[in-house]
Amino acid sequence: MKIDDALIESVLRLARLDLPRGEFEKYKAHLQQILDYVEVLGELDLEGVAPMSCAASSPAVLRADAEAESAAREDVLANAPARAGAFFKVPRILDQTEGS
């Protein structure tokens, strides 16, 4: 698969990312390298290799759920770059016209 400008622009739009035009070609080349490598992996003979559900050899060690005291709201909100009353204020990410 060949990466072209339209594909990069589509991915950037879907991910809602803004990439400076000067870095566009650099990231386009990086993505092409990744796809080229995946293509090489696709050529491997995997006959007889059992599928894996996890690459780790041992299962994850999980702790038991335990109730604990949470931080005070004002202490948490003190770290917020912007707030609206008792809530974090974040930029709007969805266009009001999308999906309607």
Side-chain angles (χ1 to χ4, degrees), residues 24-95:
F24 194 88
E25 290 300 320
K26 179 175 86 170
Y27 284 100
K28 181 178 166 184
H30 286 204
L31 287 172
Q32 188 63 58
Q33 288 175 334
I34 292 169
L35 287 180
D36 290 346
Y37 186 68
V38 169
E39 196 172 296
V40 169
L41 292 176
E43 296 171 4
L44 294 174
D45 178 17
L46 300 177
E47 188 67 36
V49 177
M52 296 175 23
S53 62
C54 180
S57 60
S58 60
V61 178
L62 304 175
R63 64 170 174 75
D65 286 338
E67 188 175 327
E69 190 72 27
S70 62
R73 180 180 297 187
E74 282 306 314
D75 291 341
V76 172
L77 287 170
N79 295 313
R83 61 187 280 187
F87 303 97
F88 287 97
K89 186 174 182 179
V90 297
R92 179 183 305 270
I93 60 167
L94 299 177
D95 184 1

